[in-house]
Amino acid sequence: MTRQPSSALWRFVDEDDSTALTLIVDTPAGPYTRRVPPALPLPSNVEHGPAAEEAAHRAAATWGMPDFVFQQAAHATKGSGRRELGDRLLLAGRRGAVVQVKARTIAPKPDAQEAGWIQKVAAKAMSQAKGTVRQLRMLPADMVNGRGRTLSVDGNAHEWVAVFLLDHPGVPEGTIATWQPIGTPAIALTRRDWDFLFDQLRSTTAVLDYLFRAAAEPPIPLGEEPVRYYEFAAADAAAPPLQVDTGLVGPGGVPFSTPLLPQAPAGADGTNAHLMIRIMFEDIALSTLADPLTEAHRFTMLCDLDLLPVGARAEWGQLLLDMLNDVPDVPEGYTKWRFRRMVHEDGTRQLIVGATTDFDTAARTAFAAFVQLRHHEVTSRTAHAEEFSTLGILLTPRHDGLRPWDTNTIRVHGHLDLPDDQLRLYQEAWNRTPEDGSATAVE
């Protein structure tokens, strides 16, 4: 065994197994041990190169969401020629990654030669990624996500990071992949690094944010990404919370701050709270779309939900479970509503989650009114009204044994321009005390 200090952590590497890595991290609560397992096994009965691509896709789809992972698509060019656009794309919100997976399909050569081969394929991967971004910016392309749904991707609607993802049985120690600048952020990872990031964060948005953050730093040896992650996480834990304008949500708004990068893996508390958030994602991803909604609208809603900070998800999930248990407990003739909402730190997104006793036409109308009212209240207090959006998600307990709850969503965007009489009606319905009527609302 060898060990190496790096800031506030120790790295242990099993010299007999280069795929094994254990980090011992100093935290305010004491030492924390994180074992980084090997990369997921490759699919059987598939050639090594395509199998590595499929394994990378599977990790991102399983720990992130299949809706954010896009497969290769052919792009028409002059004549009958066609150009493939990257091995895989990650897309969430305004950020995207072009992922070029390269695999060592023969036995490695001596370290010096192997390091040279890695430099060669790294340069090729980044050149291909640059070409993919250029093509997407020249002409949008139809891409297929992990659920087999097609979306049109306009490269100008996203900022991009290029990812060289290496599948290799034993990268020579200290190898740093290099390439000529390609005009976009770029980063090199091993497949174990990739799996670690998705397993640690369980959020495509959070992984993309990390990739952009790491790409802005000097390159590090391949396989050392978990070490850099924990250096970032330690810095996040020590950083003072950002100052946010709680007045955007009106009286009673409170600041909430959590490190961008958690030290414990997402969902490591052993409860169902984090799983609750994933189920909510799946409900939105699998629900039937009402006319005139499209797959692009569904993708936008999933992206908005994925902005929920990783460090907040367990607490929000537990709150939702508590809400579902609580809202049926009302006298006959009464309806209980419970809500939690958050304005994202960039001031352009609001997330509202809630639960109510029953869901019928009246509840649907009331929920739509609540979301529109809270959206209007925030946009009236911000200079970003035209780019502001609110996603509302409402859960309703079921009692038929088919499933535990129903999930309904509504999303509004920009300045709503509510008529005065309609706004007054919404305010009378929702900005009141429980004693004013037969509906109880708690935020």
Side-chain angles (χ1 to χ4, degrees), residues 20-36:
L21 177 65
T22 299
L23 302 175
I24 300 180
V25 186
D26 288 334
T27 74
Y32 171 77
T33 301
R34 173 70 159 101
R35 180 179 180 274
V36 181

Side-chain angles (χ1 to χ4, degrees), residues 1 11 29 36 46 80 96 104 117 124 131 152-153 171 185 190 205 234 281 298 314 321 323 358 375 393 408:
M1 300 286 291
R11 174 175 64 93
V36 181
V46 181
S80 59
R104 191 52 155 158
W117 177 84
K124 180 180 179 181
S152 178
V153 177
V171 178
T190 65
T205 297
F281 272 104
R298 188 202 305 271
L321 290 170
M323 287 179 178
D358 296 296
H375 179 86
I393 304 173
N408 291 274

Side-chain angles (χ1 to χ4, degrees), residues 13-332:
V13 180
D14 187 338
E15 293 177 339
D16 296 324
D17 181 4
S18 61
T19 65
L21 177 65
T22 299
L23 302 175
I24 300 180
V25 186
D26 288 334
T27 74
Y32 171 77
T33 301
R34 173 70 159 101
R35 180 179 180 274
V36 181
L40 291 175
L42 298 179
S44 59
N45 302 319
V46 181
E47 290 185 7
H48 191 158
E53 296 173 13
E54 178 57 33
H57 178 111
R58 185 175 60 193
T62 302
W63 289 318
M65 284 285 290
D67 309 81
F68 300 140
V69 188
F70 290 81
Q71 306 234 22
Q72 285 185 344
H75 187 90
T77 57
K78 292 182 179 179
S80 59
R82 302 179 73 85
R83 187 186 193 283
E84 289 189 340
L85 296 178
D87 293 329
R88 292 292 188 270
L89 298 184
L90 283 185
L91 287 174
R94 298 185 180 95
R95 284 187 155 173
V98 178
V99 184
Q100 290 284 341
V101 183
K102 303 297 180 183
R104 191 52 155 158
T105 58
I106 63 173
K109 298 179 179 180
D111 283 0
Q113 292 177 265
E114 205 60 22
W117 177 84
I118 291 172
Q119 302 300 344
K120 180 180 178 180
V121 294
K124 180 180 179 181
M126 291 310 180
S127 176
Q128 291 172 329
K130 178 181 179 179
T132 295
V133 173
R134 182 176 62 249
Q135 286 293 113
L136 286 172
R137 286 176 173 163
M138 289 172 57
L139 187 65
D142 288 340
M143 307 294 289
V144 180
N145 69 16
R147 295 191 195 271
R149 297 165 179 164
T150 301
L151 277 82
S152 178
V153 177
D154 181 356
N156 299 297
H158 306 275
E159 57 175 332
W160 295 94
V161 61
V163 181
F164 162 47
L165 190 55
L166 179 64
D167 181 83
H168 196 289
V171 178
E173 185 175 357
T175 300
I176 298 176
T178 59
W179 50 85
Q180 293 296 318
I182 61 173
T184 193
I187 186 172
L189 305 171
T190 65
R191 203 161 59 79
R192 183 185 68 186
D193 296 336
W194 176 263
D195 288 6
F196 162 77
L197 291 174
F198 274 98
D199 185 24
Q200 179 77 16
L201 294 169
R202 308 291 176 101
S203 161
T204 303
T205 297
V207 170
L208 281 168
D209 288 346
Y210 177 88
L211 293 174
F212 275 86
R213 180 177 179 180
E217 297 291 322
I220 62 174
L222 285 162
E224 294 286 330
E225 207 58 53
V227 177
R228 174 157 61 182
Y229 175 95
Y230 275 102
E231 290 175 342
F232 283 174
D236 288 353
L242 293 176
Q243 296 300 312
V244 296
D245 181 9
T246 60
L248 283 178
V249 296
V254 296
F256 174 82
S257 179
T258 184
L260 290 175
L261 300 176
Q263 293 179 321
D269 59 1
T271 71
N272 290 325
H274 197 274
L275 179 61
M276 175 71 187
I277 302 298
R278 177 60 185 247
I279 294 173
M280 202 158 59
F281 272 104
E282 293 292 333
D283 284 348
I284 296 172
L286 299 176
S287 62
T288 301
L289 292 175
D291 188 66
L293 295 181
T294 67
E295 289 300 332
H297 292 112
R298 188 202 305 271
F299 178 74
T300 298
M301 287 190 288
L302 291 170
C303 290
D304 284 356
L305 180 55
D306 206 36
L307 287 172
L308 184 63
V310 174
R313 294 189 179 193
E315 193 264 339
W316 278 58
Q318 186 58 56
L319 177 65
L320 282 165
L321 290 170
D322 294 343
M323 287 179 178
L324 285 167
N325 287 328
D326 178 51
V327 292
D329 186 22
V330 290
E332 185 175 353

Side-chain angles (χ1 to χ4, degrees), residues 337 358-370 394 408-410:
W337 299 78
D358 296 296
F359 194 77
D360 52 20
T361 301
R364 184 192 307 272
T365 302
F367 177 53
F370 182 85
L394 183 69
N408 291 274
T409 61
I410 180 173

